[in-house]
Amino acid sequence: MTNNIVIAIDGYSSCGKSTLAKALARKLHFIYVDSGAMYRAVTLYFLRNNIDLHDPSQVAGALKNIHLNFHSRDYQTHITLNDEEVSDEIRQMPVSDNVSAVAALREVRHEMVKQQQRMGRSKNIVMDGRDIGTTVFPDATLKIFMTADPKVRAERRYKELHEKNPDITLEEVFENIAHRDYQDTTREESPLRRAPDAIILDNTNLNPDEQLQFALNCLNRD
Ligand code: CDP
């Protein structure tokens, strides 16, 4: 069965990819997969176990011990790392500050991409990330490349994080987003870039309903 539908949503950090992906999945009754959560969970494991990113045998050994699982409840991402629910912890700053370095490692990417491709093999899915339309599903039915003004992105993410962590500052969030964008676009292994056939969606001035409408229109276009 290969005629399932895959919607790939890529783009810069904190520009609303998961909001759009969840809304599309809900509307279309598709499975939503947050590929970033996988890199974040791997990063959490690496941090907890002091894995040296420059030591390929440590990295390979760690990857063998990592088992990730998604449990979708009402289109919210619930991810377990070796059966422990880590959905909240992976959003905290220690993980955000290290995830792009971990996600740049070839061994990590190969393993995650393999798992992601397996998830999209027989089901209709919406997956968001950085390399979904370029590497994971180059034949996706629809590819959207999202972007937004960096200041607007930082303000949105700050609002989200500040509710759970009142100590966080807007500057810290802005710096983290800028740094991750730099690392994600300049890495050697499948860097963040727009697939030639991806439709650009700049949502600086769009609300969630408007961006959902934009994506649904794209889907009906051909
Ligand atoms: O939600 P946010 O934009 O903050 O990022 P995320 O989707 O949770 O992804 C976290 C990090 O994982 C990114 O900054 C990338 O370094 C990495 N990532 C990746 O390399 N490839 C993907 N397909 C998804 C995420």
Side-chain angles (χ1 to χ4, degrees), residues 16 28 43 47 52-53 55 76 81-82 85 103 111 119 126 129 154 162 165-166 176 192 200 208 210 218-219:
L28 302 168
T43 304
L47 286 173
D52 178 358
L53 302 190
D55 181 341
Q76 297 306 314
L81 165 62
N82 297 337
E85 163 84 52
E111 183 53 37
M119 290 182 218
V126 186
H162 191 253
N165 175 6
N176 174 260
L192 165 64
I200 296 176
E210 291 166 332
C218 295
L219 209 52

Side-chain angles (χ1 to χ4, degrees), residues 35-52:
S35 70
M38 300 171 72
Y39 292 97
R40 286 175 176 272
V42 169
T43 304
L44 180 60
Y45 182 94
F46 278 29
L47 286 173
R48 284 178 175 176
N49 293 281
N50 290 315
I51 302 300
D52 178 358

Side-chain angles (χ1 to χ4, degrees), residues 10 12-15 17-18 34-37 39-40 91 99-101 103-104 109 116 128-132 136 157 180 184 187:
D10 290 304
Y12 296 100
S13 295
S14 308
C15 64
K17 298 182 298 292
S18 72
D34 174 352
S35 70
Y39 292 97
R40 286 175 176 272
R91 306 282 161 208
V99 62
S100 289
R109 300 209 72 77
Q116 289 152 8
D128 71 340
R130 304 292 186 285
D131 60 339
I132 311 306
V136 185
R157 181 55 55 96
R180 278 198 288 133
D184 294 345
R187 70 181 176 219

Side-chain angles (χ1 to χ4, degrees), residues 4-9 17-18 20-35 38 69-78 115-116 118-128 132 137:
N4 53 301
I5 300 171
V6 173
I7 300 177
I9 301 180
K17 298 182 298 292
S18 72
L20 174 61
K22 278 177 207 164
L24 269 175
R26 178 175 284 133
K27 179 91 186 169
L28 302 168
H29 303 287
F30 283 15
I31 307 268
Y32 164 56
V33 181
D34 174 352
S35 70
M38 300 171 72
N69 258 303
F70 279 106
H71 305 273
S72 190
R73 248 176 279 137
D74 196 26
Y75 295 100
Q76 297 306 314
T77 298
H78 293 277
Q115 295 188 19
Q116 289 152 8
R118 211 178 295 141
M119 290 182 218
R121 202 163 289 152
S122 57
K123 296 189 186 92
N124 293 334
I125 66 166
V126 186
M127 191 178 286
D128 71 340
I132 311 306
F137 297 114

